[in-house]
Amino acid sequence: MEIKRSTVRMLTENKDKILKAGKFKEAEFNKLIDDLSVVELYQKRIIKSIEEYGTIDKPRLLSELETSEKIIDCTVEYLKEFGYLDAYGELPRFFNVEIQNLKEYDILPNVKIIRDSNLCCGCGSCVSLCPVSAITYSKGTFEIDEEVCIRCGLCYTCCPRSFFPKALNASEDEDHEITKFSEQFNYYREIITAQTTNTDITQVAQDGGIVTTLLKMAFHQNLIDGALVVTEGLEPLNPLPVFIEREEDLLKTAGTKYTNSPILKEFFKYRDCKKIAVVGTPCIMKALKKLSFYPLHNPFYDNIAIKFGLLCSESFDYSEITKLLKNEFKSTPSDVKKMDINKGRFFIYNKDGTALDIPIKKIKKYGRLGCFFCEDLTAIHTDISVGSIGSDVGWSTVFIRTEKGAEFFQKALDLNMIVKKEIKEDSKSFNSLSRIAKFKLKSYEELHRVEMKQQDPNVRITNFEEVSLGLTEEMVEIETQRCLQCGNPLCISGCPVNIKIPQFIKLLKQKKYIEALYKIKGDNLLPAICGRVCPQEIQCEQVCIMSGLGEPIAIGHLERFIADWERENKLKECPECAAPKGIKVAVIGAGPAGLACAGDLAMNGYDVTIFEAFHAGGGVLIYGIPEFRLPKEIIKSEIGTLEMLNVKMEYNSIIGKTLTLEDLRDMGFKAFFIGVGAGLPMFLKVPGLSLNGVLSANEFLTRSNLMKAFRFPDYDTPVKVGKIVTVIGGGNTALDSARTALRLGAEKVFIVYRRSEAEMPARKEEYHHALEEGINFQFLTNPVQFIGDDNEKVTQMKVIKMKLGEPDESGRRRPIRIEGSEYMIATDTIIIGIGAGANPILTKSIPELKLNKWGYIETDENGETNIEGVFAGGDIVTGSATVITAMGAGKMASLAIDKYLQEKYLDKN
Ligand code: FAD
C-alpha cells in the first residue's frame, strides 16, 4: 500500500507557490520536506509491517526504526485516522466523513473542523502553519481561500480540535516516581494553591497572579527570551495575542481573559526566538503539544521553553461575553475591571468598585459550543496549569506537571516572589476541582454512536415485522454518556416541537426513566412514532455538536427506547391536565397535526373531539407508512395517551360530507383545527398512464396497510404485484412502496428518480435499509412513456437520463434531460410515488376558506385561517412534509386557539 495522502508530495508540487508566499526560505522548506519524509517513511514501514505480518509488530518496528514507542503509537493512530487501516477494521473516526467523501483529491480537502466555527477553538495554529497563507483570521472567524489552498493538510494535522493521538497524553517526565497520574488531571507532580507577593501584580492580575509572577521571574532569570500572551485589545475584554520581550511590558498583559483569542496565529513569526513562554487555555496547549511533536524528531517548534496552561471550564466569543454582561449584570465590557470564577459562581468586578456574581450554571449558555471538545479543565499538556477553581479568592490553584515546571515554580518560591499552601487530596477544594474536571472530561473519543440491531435483510424481505429492533439498556447507557449536555443546546431548536433533548437524555443516563418520559411527553405525546420516523438527520441530530465529528447523538433511537420501555412495561405516563375550561374544540383529521393540536388543547383544559374520516387515527402513519417501519400497534398505543387526556375520537366522520363545519358550530364547538393532510395522489403527465399495472403509491400503500394485504391469505384483499416492479420517486413514499412490493413477492424492484442520491428527500436510514434489501436505484433517470401489450397491461417503461443544472425554487439542483439518452426498462408494475396534493373534500365544503393556488389552506404564522376561530396546520397548509413538522404546526395552532378562546370567551367571564 502506498501513502496516497502524501503531504510531502503536495508540498513539493507546490514548492514555487510556497516560496513565493514568503513564510519559508528555501533551506527551511527543504528541512521541512526532509522531516516530513521521515514521518512518511515511518508510515510506510508500519503499513508494510501490517501487510507482511498481518499485525503491527511493535518490537520489530522499534528496533528497525530506532525510535520510541510513543512515536510508533502516534504514527499508527494517524494512519488509522487517515484511512489506511480500514482493511484491518481500524476505521477513521474524526476524518471518517472526509475520507468517505474523498473523490477528487487524494489528500483530505480542507476539513470541516477548520471551517466550522462551532468546532474550531480559535487558537490560530492553522493560520501560522499554512505554508501559502491560505487561512486568514478576521473578527473571530477563520476563512480558507480555496484558490490559494494547496491541500497539503498541515492545518488539520496540527489542529487541536481535529484528531489528537492518545499517545500524546503520556507524561513528558522520565521520573515516574515523583509524577502521579489521575484520570481527571493526567500526569502531575503536585497540586497546590499559591499567591503572588507582588502588590502591583495583585492590582491587575486574576486570582493569585501566578502566571504574571512566574513570567516576571523567568524574564529576570533569563529563562525565557519572550512570552506569547494576550493583552487588552482595542475593545475592553476582547484580548489580542501579543508577543512581549521585556519584563516591563508584563503588567499590561495581566488580567481577565475569558474571551477567545487566536494566540497562535502569528506563532510562525517568532521561530527565531529561542526560548518562548506560551500562556493559554487547554486547546491552545493541545495545539502546542502537536506543534512540538510533529513532524516527529524535528518538530515544527522546538523553541517553547515553558507552557503555562489556564484552567478553563468554558470560553466565550466577544459578542457572547457582551451579551452575558448585558443580560445578567446590566453591564458593558467597558464597565468591567476584571472577572473571576470561584466557588461555583461567576464574578465581575466593576471599575466603580462594585462586585456582582451569579451561579456558573447561568453563564454556560453564552459559552462556545465546541468548548467541550478539549475535554480538559486543567490544561493537561503543560508544564504548569493555573486557575481559580479549588482555591480561595485571591489565590490560584496550581498544577505542577513537569520537571521543568517544578524548577520554574521553585525558583519563584526561592526568590520569595510567591507563597504557597497545600491542597490536601481529601479536601473540599480538591474534590470540587476533580468534580468539575470529571464533568468536562468527556469520553467522546472512545465512545462510538450505538448501532441499532436490525433484522437480517435476507430474512426481513420475507416478512412485515419491524426492521429496526431498538436499543438495549446497555446501549442507552453508552449513548447517553456521549451527550455533552451543551450549555447552549442546538438540538432543542433543531426539533420542530422543541423537545428538551439534553434534559431527557440526562434523565435517561441517570436511569430515571419515568422522569425522562414525562420530560418528553411534555413536548411530544407521540415519542414512539417520532423516534421511528422523524428525519433526525436533518433536524435535531444535524445540529448536534457531535455531528461535526460525524457521529451525532442518536437522539431518535433514545426517544424510541424510552417510549418502547413504557409500552413494554405496560405503563402509561400521561402529562397532567389543567382544570376543565368547559369549552369545546373540534379537530378535523387524526393525523400527526390533529393529534398534537388535540393533545395540547386537552392538557390545557379544553374539551376536544377529533373527527376522523377513517376508522382509525394516525393519518399517514396508519395508511401510508408500512408496518415494517411503524407497527400499527404503536400508533394505537400512542393514541391511547390522548384518550387518557379525555380527547374524544369520532371515527368514520368525513367533515364536508358526513357533517359540515356549520353542523359542528351548531354542536357547540367554539374553535376548529383543520389537519386533513395532503392525501391526493399526484400523477405524471406521460403517455400510458391508464394501462393496467400502473397505480399510485397512495393507493398501493393504503391497500397494503389498511386492508392488511400484507397478511394475505389471512385477509382476502391481496395487492398483486408483478415480478418486476418499478417505483417512480425519491421520497419516503417511493421507498416505502418499493420495499412493500419486495415483501409482497416482487423479484426485482427498481426505483427511478430524476435527481441524484444527494437530493433524495427520503430518510437516510430508510435509503440504507432499501439498499441492503436489494432495491435497485436508477438515479438521474425520468420516465417518458409507459408501454403496454395488446391487453393494455404495462410491460415496459421508456426512461431518459438526466443531469443536474442550477438549483430550483426548492433549493435542489434542477434535473435537465439529456436528449437522445432514452432507454427501456422491462416492468410489469409501475407505482407512482412522486408526492401528493391537497385533499379537497373539506376545503370545497367551505368556499369562503382562503386557499393558495395549489389548493392548500392559507394561514398566518400562528395557523389562523381567514375565518374567525378556524385554524389549520400540517400537510394541508405546507404540502407534504414530515410528521414532526405537522406536529409542530398542530402545537403552534393550539397556542393560538387558546389565545383566541381566552380573549373571546374566558377573559370575559
Ligand atoms: P395526515 O397524516 O395526512 O392526516 C390527515 C388526517 O385527516 C387523515 O387521518 C385523514 O383521514 C383525515 N382527513 C382527511 N380529510 C378529512 C375530512 N374531510 N374529515 C375528517 N378527516 C379527514 N414523514 C416523516 O416524518 N417520516 C417518514 O418516515 C415519513 N414517511 C412517509 C411515508 C409515506 C408513504 C407518506 C405518504 C408520508 C410520509 N411522511 C413521513 C410524511 C408524513 O406522514 C406527513 O407529513 C404527516 O403525516 C402529515 O400529517 P398531517 O396531520 O398534516 O396529515
Side-chain angles (χ1 to χ4, degrees):
M1 193 195 292
E2 49 163 341
I3 297 290
K4 279 206 294 182
R5 284 175 269 292
S6 164
T7 305
V8 170
R9 183 161 55 76
M10 297 313 265
L11 291 172
T12 317
E13 280 175 6
N14 290 284
K15 182 173 176 182
D16 290 348
K17 203 171 169 183
I18 293 169
L19 293 181
K20 212 166 154 200
K23 257 189 188 168
F24 289 98
K25 297 187 190 85
E26 183 144 12
E28 287 171 321
F29 176 83
N30 291 338
K31 183 176 172 305
L32 177 68
I33 295 293
D34 287 349
D35 294 343
L36 286 169
S37 301
V38 176
V39 177
E40 293 188 3
L41 173 78
Y42 282 16
Q43 292 178 343
K44 280 183 204 156
R45 297 287 276 274
I46 290 172
I47 291 174
K48 198 164 156 242
S49 159
I50 302 176
E51 282 174 349
E52 276 180 22
Y53 313 115
T55 171
I56 298 160
D57 187 343
K58 229 197 246 177
R60 188 186 290 254
L61 283 165
L62 279 170
S63 74
E64 268 181 30
L65 300 176
E66 292 180 2
T67 186
S68 70
E69 205 168 335
K70 178 169 157 186
I71 285 180
I72 300 220
D73 287 346
C74 279
T75 315
V76 171
E77 287 187 64
Y78 271 111
L79 281 172
K80 174 183 151 191
E81 270 313 309
F82 292 152
Y84 288 110
L85 307 185
D86 287 17
Y88 308 95
E90 298 276 355
L91 302 179
R93 175 156 158 66
F94 272 85
F95 295 134
N96 60 355
V97 180
E98 277 85 6
I99 298 265
Q100 274 167 29
N101 292 340
L102 268 186
K103 284 186 190 140
E104 224 175 304
Y105 309 115
D106 55 5
I107 192 137
L108 302 189
N110 40 51
V111 299
K112 199 187 289 174
I113 211 129
I114 311 270
R115 284 171 285 132
D116 185 334
S117 60
N118 284 334
L119 299 176
C120 162
C121 68
C123 72
S125 60
C126 53
V127 180
S128 184
L129 268 183
C130 177
V132 286
S133 300
I135 311 178
T136 48
Y137 170 85
S138 166
K139 293 199 173 146
T141 45
F142 292 86
E143 295 281 346
I144 301 180
D145 186 334
E146 298 275 346
E147 300 284 302
V148 181
C149 170
I150 55 167
R151 292 170 178 86
C152 64
L154 287 183
C155 53
Y156 56 75
T157 308
C158 287
C159 166
R161 287 291 164 88
S162 82
F163 158 69
F164 194 88
K166 281 192 200 60
L168 285 190
N169 286 341
S171 165
E172 285 178 8
D173 272 1
E174 304 279 294
D175 198 344
H176 285 277
E177 288 218 341
I178 301 172
T179 309
K180 303 173 196 172
F181 174 77
S182 104
E183 294 248 321
Q184 295 96 288
F185 307 139
N186 205 24
Y187 290 97
Y188 64 96
R189 295 188 159 221
E190 220 184 335
I191 303 177
I192 44 176
T193 176
Q195 192 180 45
T196 184
T197 54
N198 183 317
T199 46
D200 290 344
I201 294 178
T202 311
Q203 293 297 313
V204 286
Q206 214 169 307
D207 316 324
I210 293 302
V211 172
T212 315
T213 310
L214 288 174
L215 286 173
K216 192 172 167 60
M217 179 281 294
F219 269 120
H220 207 253
Q221 300 286 307
N222 287 327
L223 298 175
I224 55 172
D225 302 331
L228 193 55
V229 287
V230 291
T231 187
E232 211 60 276
L234 297 177
E235 293 144 297
L237 305 187
N238 191 5
L240 287 177
V242 60
F243 188 71
I244 55 161
E245 289 171 270
R246 300 176 332 148
E247 186 185 335
E248 301 84 81
D249 295 333
L250 261 177
L251 278 191
K252 274 189 266 169
T253 73
T256 302
K257 288 116 201 162
Y258 286 111
T259 320
N260 284 66
S261 180
I263 189 164
L264 298 180
K265 83 178 164 59
E266 290 181 342
F267 200 40
F268 198 82
K269 283 190 183 164
Y270 314 117
R271 63 191 190 276
D272 291 333
C273 182
K274 288 295 158 224
K275 290 180 288 180
I276 302 184
V278 188
V279 182
T281 47
C283 44
I284 286 160
M285 292 302 134
K286 260 186 154 174
L288 282 183
K289 184 81 186 182
K290 279 179 143 187
L291 292 171
S292 54
F293 168 77
Y294 196 83
L296 309 181
H297 296 301
N298 289 305
F300 289 128
Y301 297 103
D302 58 357
N303 55 349
I304 304 166
I306 189 138
K307 292 174 278 182
F308 294 117
L310 305 172
L311 268 57
C312 173
S313 61
E314 189 81 75
S315 79
F316 301 85
D317 289 331
Y318 180 64
S319 62
E320 288 301 309
I321 215 135
T322 309
K323 254 192 242 164
L324 160 70
L325 292 174
K326 183 169 164 231
N327 298 348
E328 307 295 337
F329 297 104
K330 311 270 170 285
S331 178
T332 65
S334 46
D335 298 331
V336 177
K337 191 168 131 206
K338 67 181 194 175
M339 297 187 282
D340 202 355
I341 289 178
N342 217 298
K343 307 235 180 304
R345 302 190 73 80
F346 180 75
F347 292 81
I348 64 163
Y349 299 96
N350 283 326
K351 286 177 187 153
D352 65 7
T354 54
L356 301 165
D357 63 282
I358 51 166
I360 270 186
K361 260 192 272 172
K362 283 190 116 177
I363 69 166
K364 278 180 78 67
K365 60 174 179 273
Y366 302 98
R368 283 174 59 87
L369 279 170
C371 221
F372 291 94
F373 284 119
C374 73
E375 50 167 10
D376 179 11
L377 170 79
T378 60
I380 62 177
H381 300 286
T382 56
D383 297 298
I384 296 186
S385 307
V386 182
S388 62
I389 300 166
S391 57
D392 291 332
V393 175
W395 287 74
S396 298
T397 301
V398 183
F399 286 73
I400 298 173
R401 296 191 180 277
T402 60
E403 194 178 341
K404 204 194 289 177
E407 278 170 20
F408 267 67
F409 195 78
Q410 192 55 47
K411 275 216 166 77
L413 276 178
D414 295 344
L415 293 166
N416 293 326
M417 295 177 82
I418 47 182
V419 286
K420 74 166 187 174
K421 289 194 290 190
E422 296 299 311
I423 294 185
K424 292 221 165 67
E425 294 194 5
D426 58 357
S427 66
K428 238 174 141 184
S429 303
F430 191 88
N431 282 342
S432 69
L433 200 53
S434 24
R435 194 168 28 83
I436 303 169
K438 214 171 189 171
F439 176 76
K440 203 167 178 198
L441 183 84
K442 295 282 174 180
S443 40
Y444 72 95
E445 275 186 47
E446 282 96 52
L447 298 178
H448 291 263
R449 180 180 160 111
V450 291
E451 271 192 40
M452 201 184 272
K453 288 213 176 78
Q454 332 168 343
Q455 271 198 76
D456 183 303
N458 293 321
V459 177
R460 70 186 191 230
I461 56 168
T462 64
N463 66 47
F464 273 84
E465 305 292 312
E466 212 180 349
V467 168
S468 303
L469 302 174
L471 299 184
T472 60
E473 283 200 34
E474 293 71 43
M475 288 167 148
V476 169
E477 212 168 285
I478 294 173
E479 196 58 21
T480 51
Q481 280 181 52
R482 295 179 61 240
C483 173
L484 297 172
Q485 292 290 318
C486 306
N488 181 10
L490 296 181
C491 51
I492 299 185
S493 41
C495 166
V497 298
N498 302 129
I499 297 178
K500 293 175 195 71
I501 295 165
Q503 284 97 319
F504 104 73
I505 293 182
K506 193 171 178 184
L507 290 165
L508 275 185
K509 186 174 165 189
Q510 297 166 341
K511 294 194 186 293
K512 295 183 178 165
Y513 292 165
I514 301 267
E515 288 87 342
L517 269 169
Y518 274 106
K519 190 56 81 188
I520 289 197
K521 287 199 177 179
D523 299 307
N524 179 3
L525 289 173
L526 313 176
I529 294 171
C530 292
R532 282 170 168 81
V533 301
C534 270
Q536 288 97 7
E537 72 273 9
I538 53 163
Q539 292 172 336
C540 53
E541 292 185 14
Q542 185 181 46
V543 289
C544 166
I545 186 84
M546 299 291 281
S547 79
L549 300 174
E551 289 193 307
I553 304 299
I555 300 169
H557 292 1
L558 292 174
E559 185 181 20
R560 169 187 164 144
F561 166 82
I562 192 61
D564 288 356
W565 176 85
E566 178 189 33
R567 223 180 34 262
E568 281 154 17
N569 286 286
K570 307 214 168 1
L571 298 168
K572 201 91 202 109
E573 299 309 318
C574 172
E576 289 196 0
C577 288
K581 293 189 168 68
I583 294 187
K584 284 169 70 172
V585 183
V587 169
I588 307 166
L595 294 175
C597 182
D600 277 16
L601 287 169
M603 281 195 271
N604 212 346
Y606 291 100
D607 177 0
V608 186
T609 305
I610 303 184
F611 294 89
E612 165 56 46
F614 272 109
H615 60 277
V620 168
L621 306 176
I622 203 131
Y623 59 77
I625 303 183
E627 183 81 6
F628 57 83
R629 277 220 286 139
L630 180 61
K632 311 281 168 276
E633 271 309 305
I634 285 169
I635 305 166
K636 213 169 140 192
S637 158
E638 301 233 306
I639 290 179
T641 314
L642 272 113
E643 286 162 355
M644 285 171 75
L645 293 170
N646 287 327
V647 173
K648 296 183 219 43
M649 309 296 287
E650 288 290 339
Y651 294 120
N652 304 310
S653 304
I654 308 176
I655 306 302
K657 278 208 168 141
T658 328
L659 291 166
T660 63
L661 195 70
E662 281 319 303
D663 294 334
L664 297 181
R665 275 195 210 282
D666 294 343
M667 288 159 74
F669 290 98
K670 300 283 186 245
F672 307 86
F673 175 76
I674 306 175
V676 292
L680 196 71
M682 278 186 193
F683 281 100
L684 286 160
K685 290 194 185 89
V686 295
L689 207 57
S690 58
L691 290 170
N692 288 327
V694 177
L695 65 163
S696 76
N698 188 292
E699 178 193 344
F700 175 67
L701 289 171
T702 308
R703 282 171 61 188
S704 168
N705 278 313
L706 283 191
M707 298 174 198
K708 299 197 170 59
F710 61 87
R711 297 235 189 115
F712 180 76
D714 300 347
Y715 286 77
D716 61 357
T717 52
V719 180
K720 283 212 180 98
V721 291
K723 284 190 176 163
I724 308 175
V725 177
T726 308
V727 181
I728 302 163
N732 287 315
T733 313
L735 264 65
D736 284 346
S737 304
R739 296 171 69 198
T740 300
L742 201 63
R743 283 160 173 78
L744 288 173
E747 286 169 14
K748 244 189 179 166
V749 182
F750 291 95
I751 283 198
V752 167
Y753 179 51
R754 61 190 183 137
R755 291 185 159 102
S756 73
E757 182 187 348
E759 286 82 24
M760 267 205 332
R763 282 185 86 221
K764 231 187 193 146
E765 191 180 349
E766 308 312 334
Y767 171 53
H768 288 304
H769 286 166
L771 283 176
E772 284 172 356
E773 289 168 12
I775 306 285
N776 184 314
F777 284 82
Q778 305 268 312
F779 292 113
L780 291 166
T781 307
N782 211 22
V784 181
Q785 189 185 355
F786 303 154
I787 298 156
D789 60 15
D790 296 345
N791 299 323
E792 293 287 289
K793 171 88 183 72
V794 72
T795 53
Q796 292 188 83
M797 179 157 89
K798 188 177 186 184
V799 293
I800 186 165
K801 292 301 285 174
M802 312 290 279
K803 61 181 180 185
L804 292 178
E806 293 300 308
D808 62 15
E809 56 286 351
S810 74
R812 292 176 302 171
R813 291 174 65 192
R814 189 187 300 276
I816 303 168
R817 293 158 70 98
I818 305 175
E819 294 307 334
S821 65
E822 290 88 346
Y823 66 101
M824 294 290 188
I825 298 179
T827 185
D828 37 31
T829 306
I830 294 177
I831 302 173
I832 304 171
I834 57 163
N839 187 337
I841 296 178
L842 175 91
T843 50
K844 265 193 179 158
S845 76
I846 320 171
E848 66 276 28
L849 187 64
K850 203 163 167 204
L851 308 179
N852 67 16
K853 63 177 173 180
W854 298 284
Y856 296 115
I857 300 175
E858 281 197 0
T859 66
D860 67 10
E861 67 281 8
N862 301 316
E864 186 156 16
T865 69
N866 64 316
I867 304 177
E868 192 194 314
V870 179
F871 298 76
D875 284 5
I876 189 59
V877 172
T878 54
S880 300
T882 62
V883 171
I884 197 82
T885 43
M887 287 179 67
K891 287 172 85 66
M892 200 174 60
S894 83
L895 293 176
I897 293 173
D898 176 44
K899 186 165 177 273
Y900 164 75
L901 293 173
Q902 286 282 356
E903 285 168 6
K904 180 127 182 164
Y905 299 100
L906 294 169
D907 291 348
K908 290 186 181 147
N909 292 339

